[in-house]
Amino acid sequence: MTGATSATSAELDVLGALLAFDFIGFAQKSTALDPHGPHYGQAVAAAFGLAARRRFPQGATPQEISGYVDGFLGSLEACAEDFDPAFLERLVAEGLHGGTAPGVEHLDPETTIQARLVLTLRLVRELGYGPDEQRELLAEAALRTSA
């Protein structure tokens, strides 16, 4: 396996465990991620972008994105303070634009991937994806990351 392929596989394994609510597996698989690797976060970003575009198939205005982020943060309760709303809004906008939204500045890679993981979980739940659709999403993200 190449570095990019193994990084993609490890990230998607982590996301798959999270989507399955396998928190022990999530914690164990997370240890395989290398936050200093050159491909860190790419597979999760691909899955997040796919889920965001499926959730908002017609796109979303800045006001809609802001409202979505407000609702998302409101659902987190105790850990909502861990995420900056403006940062999450930029991530959602970037996801809707295929990862190329202008002017998106990222925090450290760990914060970025954590935010995308939690947002992806929320999007997948909103879309009503069961195990088959989740596997399809992860497979498509793997293809996009390897392209």
Side-chain angles (χ1 to χ4, degrees):
M1 244 190 243
T2 67
T5 305
S6 63
T8 296
S9 178
E11 284 185 25
L12 295 178
D13 284 349
V14 168
L15 180 55
L18 179 63
L19 295 176
F21 288 101
D22 174 8
F23 299 116
I24 293 171
F26 173 79
Q28 291 171 339
K29 292 170 191 264
S30 293
T31 63
L33 300 182
D34 177 9
H36 304 291
H39 304 287
Y40 184 71
Q42 289 179 355
V44 169
F48 167 67
L50 288 166
R53 289 187 297 281
R54 290 175 185 176
R55 167 62 176 78
F56 297 100
Q58 306 302 315
T61 66
Q63 295 79 16
E64 290 170 315
I65 292 171
S66 180
Y68 182 79
V69 167
D70 286 345
F72 167 74
L73 290 172
S75 72
L76 293 179
E77 299 171 5
C79 60
E81 65 274 3
D82 293 344
F83 296 107
D84 173 42
F87 175 65
L88 294 179
E89 289 172 17
R90 290 190 306 266
L91 283 181
V92 172
E94 180 184 74
L96 291 173
H97 290 94
T100 58
V104 175
E105 294 179 27
H106 294 277
L107 300 175
D108 64 274
E110 273 299 301
T111 301
T112 300
I113 199 170
Q114 288 171 4
R116 284 182 175 143
L117 283 166
V118 176
L119 282 165
T120 303
L121 175 63
R122 166 82 179 241
L123 291 165
V124 165
R125 294 291 168 236
E126 287 177 2
L127 291 165
Y129 282 5
D132 291 339
E133 294 93 352
Q134 290 172 22
R135 280 190 292 277
E136 180 271 326
L137 178 77
L138 297 174
E140 189 173 342
L143 284 173
R144 289 180 183 246
T145 304
S146 65

